[in-house]
Amino acid sequence: MTSLTGPANTPRKLGIVLILLVVLPLVFYSAYEFASLSEGERLMREMYQRQLDAILFSLNQHAWDVCSQWATQVDLFILSGPASDRKRIDEYFERTPALQAVVLADSNLRELSVLRRPGDTGQALTTAEWNALVTPARSRLDAVRRFQRVDYRKLEPFVLPDTVGGDGRILIMFARAIGGGDFAGLLIRERQFIQRVISPKLTEVASEEFILGVFRRGSAEPLTASGTVPPGSVFQRRDLWLLPGHEVGIRLQGTTVDEVVKARFQRNLLLILLLDLILLAGALMVYRNVRAQTEFARSKSAFVSNVSHELRTPLALIRMYAETLEMGRLKNEVKKQEYYSTILRETDRLSHLVNTILNFSRMEAGKRPYQFRSLDLNASTQAVLETYRLHLEQHQIHPVIAFAREPVRISADGDAVAEAIINLVDNGIKYRGSSTYLGVRTFARDGNGVLEIEDHGIGIAPEHQKKIFDVFYRVPTGAVHETKGSGLGLSLVSHIMNAHNGTVEVTSVPGKGSTFRLVFPLEKTPNTATAGENA
Ligand code: ADP
């Protein structure tokens, strides 16, 4: 059987090849994809954050531009006439909403004059506040002036102490473009500024995707927002340059960057896993297929060797006995009879084997003709047992028979049914182990006629119970190797049962024995209903 080591090794080799060609690359690929997923996640987060940053920047820039424009207008406004001209003051304030007052100071930050918005009753800037806040910031304002000299308008915000009601005031100082180094300041009310200048811009910038809001630093509740803010929302925030202590924040509508990135990550991970699964399943299928094929090839070559043996043994016996008889040396009549019956028995064995093989190949080719007619399962079984009586007796087997009281009528091909029964009885003898028990029962159940053949022999392990009906399959372990066989018997039975719309079942416990059951549909005539139970 050395030739069998080849096919036996094939699944292992294939397993190794599959691991090298599929599993390993898959592991590497998945690890790589996983790593690039995390990298992609990082890049995406960064990209989003940059985009959000750009939006926050543009908001800050807008507030800055507005104030810068107001500052320029202060220059123009002072150029165009005396500061006491009320009409022009009114016009100016009309163009600059949210501006509470304009503060003018000389280059030494002394001569202070405050032009208030007409009708403004809020707390204006007092000289005391000015002295406490602006005068000590001399160096900051010098820097502002230096920028102005190179034509860059720098705005320097100062937070004034809170007024009643929590509406803060901010003084935005700048150096005047004209006026030989004089300073001016825009006094704005935070709330007004946010509402009139920043809020419209928030709504304009926030598309369907984002929610924008202005916050006091450290507070989770926005002072104003471009949409409804779900509780507990996380905003990406940046300082508002012109309103110290305030921040502008942005978040994605209905979700956060983290959630978006996480969802994408999970989706991609799932896809990779799915791909892995499909590839692995494919590899597994290839592996199993090849293993099945190899097993089949092995069974087939075992079949050839078994059948050759099965043919040779009876032939050798027949030849030996026939030669002895032919020489005429045997005088003892009893011995002669014994030789004849051995020759007969061995011929039977031979023809049984040849028939099995021929029937099988005809069945495989779908060419076996069946002649269905009404027959009684009891009678068919009885006939087979009759034919087999001698054979059974030789093995000290006395079948324990329990036939149904009434005939079990089925529509079947008599020869085929007999062949199925013979195969089962034959197996019951071959695999009987040390027991001599053979139970044979027939009964009707649920519209079926059942024949049961039970032995108390070696039994069949659960993992082989399905496979024994496969062509050439023989249980590869244990006592079965001592018993020669073709591995065709049960597949023949299975074929026959299929042709009769019936089934063959097995219940078996290793070491305890097996019960094979042939289940035929009962013939559909009125008297089938009377088919009785066990006698
Ligand atoms: P064969 O008997 O020629 O090997 P079969 O197709 O009849 O082929 O049976 C297939 C295999 O099933 C047998 O080789 C044997 O391993 C197992 N088998 C069949 N019948 C029995 C039984 N009654 N008890 C134990 N094993 C059995």
Side-chain angles (χ1 to χ4, degrees):
M1 293 257 176
T2 40
S3 64
L4 296 185
T5 51
N9 271 337
T10 313
R12 196 176 318 139
K13 272 193 208 144
L14 180 80
I16 296 171
V17 168
L18 282 179
I19 286 176
L20 285 177
L21 282 183
V22 180
V23 180
L24 276 186
L26 202 64
V27 168
F28 281 122
Y29 168 76
S30 302
Y32 171 77
E33 276 295 302
F34 187 79
S36 43
L37 257 191
S38 330
E39 176 63 15
E41 185 192 10
R42 192 183 63 75
L43 280 177
M44 195 178 147
R45 182 172 282 132
E46 246 177 52
M47 216 173 69
Y48 256 113
Q49 239 128 45
R50 276 206 211 110
Q51 193 185 353
L52 300 187
D53 262 350
I55 294 175
L56 294 179
F57 183 87
S58 81
L59 269 176
N60 254 325
Q61 191 65 49
H62 169 72
W64 186 275
D65 285 348
V66 168
C67 284
S68 189
Q69 217 178 352
W70 290 351
T72 309
Q73 282 169 5
V74 168
D75 270 336
L76 293 175
F77 152 76
I78 288 171
L79 251 190
S80 59
S84 54
D85 184 346
R86 228 25 256 188
K87 191 164 168 276
R88 277 185 318 105
I89 295 175
D90 292 355
E91 274 169 17
Y92 171 73
F93 277 109
E94 228 162 74
R95 288 196 301 275
T96 53
L99 185 62
Q100 191 193 357
V102 173
V103 176
L104 301 172
D106 67 356
S107 58
N108 289 319
L109 296 168
R110 285 206 198 96
E111 283 170 44
L112 177 72
S113 61
V114 178
L115 304 175
R116 299 183 68 166
R117 168 179 287 278
D120 178 62
T121 51
Q123 186 182 5
L125 181 72
T126 62
T127 321
E129 281 174 335
W130 173 264
N131 286 337
L133 193 76
V134 181
T135 322
R138 182 83 227 191
S139 60
R140 270 163 79 192
L141 289 170
D142 281 344
V144 168
R145 189 152 48 197
R146 271 201 304 282
F147 277 114
Q148 186 58 52
R149 283 203 192 108
V150 290
D151 269 345
Y152 173 72
R153 166 138 296 152
K154 186 164 164 42
L155 302 174
E156 190 65 49
F158 292 88
V159 183
L160 290 168
D162 246 3
T163 42
V164 195
D167 186 10
R169 292 166 302 153
I170 309 269
L171 179 63
I172 296 168
M173 292 296 297
F174 59 94
R176 284 175 49 197
I178 14 195
D182 288 352
F183 288 103
L186 305 167
L187 187 67
I188 58 174
R189 279 185 189 278
E190 281 169 7
R191 224 181 261 167
Q192 289 258 325
F193 189 75
I194 289 169
Q195 257 166 30
R196 298 207 169 193
V197 178
I198 300 183
S199 213
K201 190 68 182 173
L202 292 187
T203 327
E204 185 191 318
V205 171
S207 55
E208 303 234 307
E209 259 179 280
F210 306 110
I211 302 177
L212 288 155
V214 177
F215 300 79
R216 233 177 246 293
R217 188 175 295 135
S219 154
E221 283 292 309
L223 297 170
T224 176
S226 66
T228 26
V229 178
S233 312
V234 181
F235 280 77
Q236 182 170 341
R237 300 188 190 193
R238 292 290 175 268
D239 280 346
L240 254 179
W241 305 331
L242 283 181
L243 298 186
H246 287 78
E247 294 170 328
V248 257
I250 186 166
R251 60 163 281 147
L252 288 167
Q253 188 85 265
T255 175
T256 64
V257 174
D258 275 344
E259 277 163 15
V260 169
V261 174
K262 207 166 130 196
R264 211 183 86 107
F265 179 80
Q266 279 172 349
R267 200 175 45 238
N268 288 349
L269 195 68
L270 207 74
L271 278 178
I272 293 177
L273 287 181
L274 207 72
L275 188 77
D276 283 3
L277 269 181
I278 291 173
L279 280 174
L280 281 179
L284 200 72
M285 260 165 67
V286 170
Y287 177 76
R288 289 178 68 152
N289 206 306
V290 170
R291 203 178 56 178
Q293 291 293 335
T294 317
E295 230 166 57
F296 183 72
R298 196 169 31 198
S299 305
K300 209 161 152 184
S301 67
F303 164 78
V304 172
S305 119
N306 287 341
V307 165
S308 325
H309 179 92
E310 289 273 284
L311 289 173
R312 229 182 1 226
T313 318
L315 276 178
L317 278 177
I318 291 167
R319 191 189 166 85
M320 192 178 80
Y321 286 109
E323 269 175 1
T324 318
L325 287 168
E326 192 196 25
M327 279 184 241
R329 286 207 213 114
L330 213 61
K331 298 285 177 273
N332 185 339
E333 272 311 308
V334 183
K335 261 273 182 280
K336 262 189 197 166
Q337 276 312 314
E338 197 182 300
Y339 277 27
Y340 285 134
S341 61
T342 306
I343 290 173
L344 217 62
R345 198 185 62 230
E346 291 304 314
T347 323
D348 274 353
R349 246 177 82 182
L350 267 182
S351 58
H352 173 65
L353 184 67
V354 172
N355 277 342
T356 303
I357 294 170
L358 283 181
N359 281 342
F360 177 76
S361 70
R362 267 196 298 174
M363 266 182 206
E364 281 284 273
K367 284 188 193 144
R368 172 162 186 172
Y370 288 98
Q371 260 134 34
F372 292 94
R373 57 187 177 81
S374 171
L375 56 86
D376 171 19
L377 196 54
N378 291 347
S380 304
T381 313
Q382 182 72 57
V384 170
L385 290 178
E386 234 7 273
T387 328
Y388 249 64
R389 207 179 43 163
L390 246 158
H391 190 56
L392 289 165
E393 275 170 6
Q394 273 171 358
H395 295 99
Q396 280 85 47
I397 296 175
H398 305 282
V400 180
I401 300 171
F403 284 151
R405 255 182 264 121
E406 307 284 336
V408 180
R409 301 229 68 95
I410 56 173
S411 166
D413 179 309
D415 288 343
V417 171
E419 204 175 312
I421 301 173
I422 288 172
N423 272 302
L424 295 187
V425 171
D426 202 39
N427 282 348
I429 301 170
K430 280 200 291 188
Y431 306 111
R432 71 185 183 284
S434 53
S435 146
T436 55
Y437 175 85
L438 191 77
V440 181
R441 291 180 284 278
T442 62
F443 51 90
R445 188 178 59 195
D446 306 331
N448 291 315
V450 184
L451 165 66
E452 233 175 40
I453 294 186
E454 179 185 358
D455 64 63
H456 291 170
I458 59 173
I460 306 158
E463 66 268 27
H464 299 300
Q465 287 179 11
K466 257 211 173 88
K467 292 186 184 168
I468 51 172
F469 297 100
D470 290 348
V471 182
F472 305 136
Y473 192 84
R474 308 194 75 220
V475 176
T477 48
V480 84
H481 282 299
E482 295 152 22
T483 327
K484 285 290 166 187
S486 59
L488 287 182
L490 286 180
S491 57
L492 213 75
V493 174
S494 170
H495 257 292
I496 292 172
M497 293 315 290
N498 270 343
H500 286 77
N501 290 328
T503 49
V504 49
E505 300 165 1
V506 61
T507 12
S508 184
V509 180
K512 291 239 155 74
S514 318
T515 303
F516 283 84
R517 226 165 279 117
L518 300 181
V519 183
F520 296 89
L522 280 176
E523 202 179 42
K524 288 199 175 38
T525 53
N527 56 354
T528 49
T530 61
E533 288 299 311
N534 287 355

